[in-house]
Amino acid sequence: MPALHLSASTRDLTRAAELLGQGDLVAFPTETVYGLGADATQDQAVARIYAAKGRPEFNPLIVHVADIEAAKALVVWSAEAEALARAFWPGPLTLVLPLRDGAPVSRLVTAGLDSLAIRLPAAPVAQGLLRAFGGPVAAPSANRSGQISPTRANHVLNDLGDRIEAVVDGGPCTVGLESTILGLTGTPTLLRPGGVTEEALSAVLGTRIALRRETDGITAPGQTRSHYAPRARVRLNAVDFEPGEARLGFGKVDCDLNLSAEADLTEAAANLFEYLHRLDDGQAQTIAVSPIPHVGLGVAINDRLSRAAADR
């Protein structure tokens, strides 16, 4: 049976919350990307996320909550977490903190780790659903594992429409890149770049942020080498385009689609996954991407592109 296509109305959010409560899978929009939601306290519901996505079970999930107090009930809170939450929540920042003893979260969510990735999303539709549900919702990106993340409801329906129960349509995501993930189980460590920059995090904490090494074990979502990948091969830092390539530009270049003709990294981030979807729907075997400055949001954009271009 195809997934229900729900609106963002109060009535439909109530329906979506009821579906979550009975162990069903419901995709919903955050400001970053669409998430594939399940009741984080139900083992069977969380297991269905892994099955629907074809996701490796060693790859942990992010839990979404409605407010800071709900987060504190699940993790061991700290002064660092308090400062960051006050500065960036609700918003595109995920904190990885020690799991609180007795926290009612499926061990499948943490992939057996003693820590939990948690965030408070800013998107009004996500907040409305979380309030209507009244509990923690595990929600990785609503796409098949390793493929392009969804920033519109039709992306979810095209990819997972026969594997889940419902999609809440809240229009396009405003940020367009997954959340920044910051590890706080020891030295503050950037586990995945995203909508909140390393510089902004350092400014709040008053200290430098350590960087994860690619050789480190997987401790948070989005760390597998090949990820966010279209069917077509991705060629990075393309200064000259070759015949037959789909051309994804940035700045003043002649291309098929331009992430931002004005070289605005915020605009580029919001457009990245939608434009990769569009170009991948064509016949080109290769998507060539213009160089992206490796500063600010450009760090997160380049992270996603490098994983999209990795050997599969």
Side-chain angles (χ1 to χ4, degrees), residues 4 14-26 38-39 42 44-45 48 133 165:
L4 295 173
T14 299
R15 176 62 177 143
E18 292 170 348
L19 291 171
L20 288 172
Q22 64 190 39
D24 289 336
L25 301 183
V26 177
D39 183 347
Q42 293 189 41
Q44 187 170 354
R48 289 195 60 218
F133 178 61
E165 279 66 45

Side-chain angles (χ1 to χ4, degrees), residues 13 28-31 64-67 89-91 120-134:
L13 290 180
F28 63 96
T30 74
E31 69 277 17
H64 296 67
V65 293
D67 52 50
W89 279 8
L120 170 55
V125 176
Q127 290 192 352
L129 177 59
L130 289 166
R131 287 193 298 269
F133 178 61

Side-chain angles (χ1 to χ4, degrees), residues 31-32 85 88-94 119-123 127 175 179-180 195-196:
E31 69 277 17
T32 58
F88 300 114
W89 279 8
L93 174 65
T94 295
R119 91 173 179 104
L120 170 55
Q127 290 192 352
V175 175
S179 61
T180 299
V196 178

Side-chain angles (χ1 to χ4, degrees), residues 186-202:
T187 301
T189 302
L190 185 66
L191 301 177
R192 181 179 72 184
V196 178
T197 65
E198 176 192 347
E199 294 82 1
L201 297 170
S202 294

Side-chain angles (χ1 to χ4, degrees), residues 50-51 53-61 108 111 145-146 218 224 227:
Y50 286 100
K53 286 176 62 68
R55 183 186 180 95
E57 292 190 8
F58 59 76
N59 202 351
L61 307 176
L108 292 173
S145 186
I218 291 177
T224 51
H227 210 69

Side-chain angles (χ1 to χ4, degrees), residues 55 58-63 94 96 109 113 116-118 139-141 178-181 191-193 212 218-224 227-228 303-304 307:
R55 183 186 180 95
F58 59 76
N59 202 351
L61 307 176
I62 294 174
V63 165
T94 295
V96 177
V109 169
L113 300 173
L116 181 67
I118 195 162
S141 57
E178 292 83 359
S179 61
T180 299
I181 301 181
L191 301 177
R192 181 179 72 184
R212 176 185 179 271
I218 291 177
T219 56
Q223 294 180 338
T224 51
H227 210 69
Y228 318 110
D303 172 78
R304 305 310 191 272
R307 295 180 193 279

